[in-house]
């Protein structure tokens, strides 16, 4: 059976590539020689080929394009200039399946294409594992066809890890992001989510990150990421410029294969206590700049940079089903869904009043429907007060959550409006502004419960 190959190679190398594919014993056939990326994507979507061979310098090539090819069921083989070592690292960060960097392109391209075809016959999907040029992919002992290969430390299977030595946006390395890669345990990602209605999700996320950063032995510190595409306020709460490069800049760097731990460190200013901040988008209308495929690289780089990454998510969980037929269309809730899918721990925040509790109960069900497992989920009820829940608010809230949501271990954060308002006014965390605050002590206790999770979380 002949396998169709899409060729989008620039310059004189195209002739050698086509000749090499044609020499594959009749098993391979170049079905389309594409002039640009748009033609390549259209040909892939039309099902004209199973493998795409392209140049590293193809104009417009980014992570979204590679993701589009994978979504069309097309493997990606990329040709890098052997004299430009950074090209190979960039291509790997873009998520291509095979990178050819040797001088003998005509001899190696057919072997690389055959390797990915063999992987497809084993049941592996494009983007599922890394194939070495000229060799068939190996599977783990006991693995079933279609299982991805072991992921690099700090990334889940089938997701990119920040590649050491890859080109970063920054020029010099940050001392905080130069750990001993061989011995340092990858960081933990914590997604803080809550239903609509201002339950205090950002307050909990920010102060949880501050408490984790300040814990004894917390080498690597913590990173707070504002991924709320509706109305992120982390920058304002800390007195930072909301126009400063943040998650949008990180997503752009990831999309072009230029984000690693060093580059991410350049985008995340460090505050006192070892807390780094990746600010959100300055205007809600900029949400298309933050795509899920780019955020996969951001989370991997964050694991390499910080011991704890706390992501302040938006409230929306809908997957924009009207647009789901178009894999190139951006999704408004992609940042939230990506963070929840990547997270080792999910903290669910609800308000401590009847309306907030009702939304919390429904939100827990929505999380389950969205595929977020209940394991590693912590429920936090914020702003607990007698005026909203009766003379014994803690007991009433726990009884309600147990009865309607089956939650047996809710964490309660008492109302402390004066301390929280003062912290925002001073642009500081509760740990810095009001260390004796009941709200701060409750968040610190939550950090103490979550902290041991890191010892049980290995490479994903």
């Amino acid at each position: 059976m002949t396998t169709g190959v899409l060729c989008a190679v620039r310059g004189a190398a195209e002739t050698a590539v086509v000749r090499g594919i044609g020499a594959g014993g009749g098993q391979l056939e170049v079905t389309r020689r594409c002039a640009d990326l748009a033609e390549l994507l259209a040909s892939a979507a039309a099902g004209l080929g199973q493998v795409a061979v392209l140049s590293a310098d193809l104009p417009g090539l980014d992570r979204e394009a590679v993701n589009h090819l994978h979504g069309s069921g097309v493997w990606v083989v990329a040709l890098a200039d052997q004299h430009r070592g950074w090209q190979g690292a960039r291509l790997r960060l873009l998520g291509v399946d095979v990178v050819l960097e040797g001088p003998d392109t005509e001899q190696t391209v057919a072997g690389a294409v055959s390797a990915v075809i063999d992987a497809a016959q084993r049941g592996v999907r494009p983007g599922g594992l890394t194939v070495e040029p000229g060799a068939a992919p190996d599977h783990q002992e006991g693995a079933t066809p279609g299982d991805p290969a072991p992921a690099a430390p700090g990334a889940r299977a089938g997701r990119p890890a920040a590649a050491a030595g890859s080109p970063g946006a920054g020029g010099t390395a940050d001392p905080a992001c130069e750990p001993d890669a061989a011995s340092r345990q990858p960081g933990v990602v914590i997604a803080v989510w809550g239903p609509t209605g201002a339950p205090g999700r950002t307050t909990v996320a920010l102060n949880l990150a501050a408490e984790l950063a300040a814990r004894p032995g917390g080498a690597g510190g913590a990173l707070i990421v504002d991924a709320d595409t509706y109305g992120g306020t982390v920058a304002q709460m800390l007195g930072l410029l909301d126009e400063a490069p943040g998650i949008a800049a990180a997503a752009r760097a990831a999309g072009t294969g230029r984000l690693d731990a060093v580059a991410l460190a350049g985008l995340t200013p460090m505050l006192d206590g070892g807390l780094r901040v990746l600010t959100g988008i300055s205007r809600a209308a900029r949400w298309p700049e933050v795509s899920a495929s780019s955020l996969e690289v951001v989370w991997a780089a964050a694991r390499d940079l910080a011991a704890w990454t706390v992501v302040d998510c938006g409230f929306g969980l809908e997957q924009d089903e009207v647009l789901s037929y178009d894999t190139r269309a951006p999704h408004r809730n992609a940042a939230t869904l990506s963070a929840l899918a990547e997270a080792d721990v999910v903290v669910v925040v609800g308000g401590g009043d009847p309306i907030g509790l009702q939304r919390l109960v429904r939100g827990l069900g929505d999380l389950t429907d969205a595929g977020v497992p209940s394991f590693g989920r912590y429920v936090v009820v914020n702003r607990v007060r007698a005026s909203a829940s009766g003379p014994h608010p803690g007991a009433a809230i726990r009884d309600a959550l147990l009865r309607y949501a089956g939650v047996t271990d809710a964490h309660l954060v008492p109302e402390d409006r004066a301390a929280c308002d003062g912290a925002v006014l001073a642009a500081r965390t509760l740990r810095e502004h009001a260390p004796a605050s009941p709200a701060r002590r409750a968040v610190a206790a939550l950090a103490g419960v979550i902290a041991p999770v890191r010892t049980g979380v290995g490479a994903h």
Side-chain angles (χ1 to χ4, degrees):
M1 180 179 178
T2 302
T3 299
V5 179
L6 305 174
C7 182
V9 178
R10 305 181 72 200
E14 182 187 27
T15 302
V17 169
V18 173
R19 186 185 301 118
I21 293 173
Q27 301 298 317
L28 306 177
E29 178 186 0
V30 177
T31 54
R32 181 63 65 91
R33 299 172 73 169
C34 304
D36 52 27
L37 181 63
E39 185 178 358
L40 175 64
L41 296 178
S43 300
L48 299 182
Q50 189 177 358
V51 182
V53 180
L54 50 83
S55 301
D57 59 350
L58 185 66
L61 180 63
D62 58 11
R63 187 165 181 82
E64 276 292 289
V66 174
N67 189 56
H68 184 279
L69 291 170
H70 286 162
S72 299
V74 176
W75 293 80
V76 182
V77 177
L79 310 181
D81 189 338
Q82 61 175 331
H83 302 297
R84 299 179 180 179
W86 58 267
Q87 279 192 351
R90 173 179 177 267
L91 288 169
R92 293 183 182 92
L93 283 175
L94 291 183
V96 303
D97 302 292
V98 179
V99 178
L100 297 178
E101 300 180 89
D104 302 324
T105 303
E106 183 176 344
Q107 288 74 28
T108 58
V109 66
V113 173
S114 298
V116 297
I117 292 173
D118 181 70
Q121 292 174 347
R122 293 169 182 249
V124 184
R125 291 178 296 180
L129 54 82
T130 300
V131 183
E132 294 299 328
D138 295 327
H139 287 269
Q140 288 178 277
E141 183 178 357
T144 58
D147 287 346
R156 296 192 178 201
R159 294 179 180 175
S166 61
T172 59
D174 190 314
C177 62
E178 288 186 334
D180 184 355
S183 61
R184 176 170 170 178
Q185 184 181 357
V188 175
V189 175
I190 302 172
V192 181
W193 178 87
T196 186
R201 178 191 63 250
T202 302
T203 298
V204 172
L206 174 59
N207 288 284
L208 176 61
E211 296 296 337
L212 290 171
R215 288 189 64 82
L223 168 65
I224 175 72
V225 179
D226 190 344
D228 186 351
T229 56
Y230 290 89
T233 56
V234 170
Q236 293 88 332
M237 292 183 69
L238 292 173
L240 302 176
L241 293 175
D242 61 1
E243 296 290 343
I247 193 170
R252 285 195 298 272
T256 55
R258 289 179 169 80
L259 185 74
D260 57 9
V262 177
L264 185 60
L267 297 172
T268 53
M270 180 179 287
L271 308 181
D272 294 339
L275 178 62
R276 289 183 174 273
V277 183
L278 184 63
T279 58
I281 55 178
S282 57
R283 295 183 300 276
R286 295 179 60 186
W287 64 266
E289 299 179 30
V290 186
S291 66
S293 59
S294 295
L295 287 176
E296 292 176 358
V297 183
V298 175
W299 308 140
R303 288 186 186 273
D304 291 340
L305 175 63
W308 302 95
T309 299
V310 181
V311 185
D312 180 21
C313 302
F315 62 86
L317 296 176
E318 296 80 9
Q319 299 187 30
D320 300 331
E321 294 181 358
V322 174
L323 300 176
S324 62
Y325 70 92
D326 185 354
T327 56
R328 293 284 288 176
H331 291 179
R332 179 66 183 265
N333 300 321
T336 295
L337 295 172
S338 174
L340 290 171
E342 178 68 21
D344 305 296
V345 174
V346 176
V347 176
V348 186
V349 182
D353 57 82
I355 296 176
L357 289 175
Q358 184 186 53
R359 288 172 172 169
L360 175 58
V361 170
R362 292 177 177 173
L364 291 171
D366 293 339
L367 282 176
T368 301
D369 294 340
V372 179
S374 57
F375 177 78
R377 187 188 297 179
Y378 296 82
V379 177
V380 176
V381 181
N382 191 34
R383 300 187 62 189
V384 176
R385 56 201 185 277
S387 60
S389 301
H392 303 287
I397 288 172
R398 286 192 170 94
D399 288 345
L401 290 177
L402 178 61
R403 179 177 181 181
Y404 296 107
V407 176
T408 59
D409 53 352
H411 302 269
L412 307 184
V413 178
E415 170 77 289
D416 194 349
R417 179 60 65 88
C420 292
D421 288 350
V424 174
L425 183 62
R428 306 176 74 185
T429 64
L430 285 174
R431 180 182 180 85
E432 298 170 317
H433 179 73
S437 163
R440 182 260 162 177
R441 290 199 298 266
V443 176
L446 175 64
V449 173
I450 294 177
V453 170
R454 187 161 188 258
T455 61
V457 175
H460 288 264

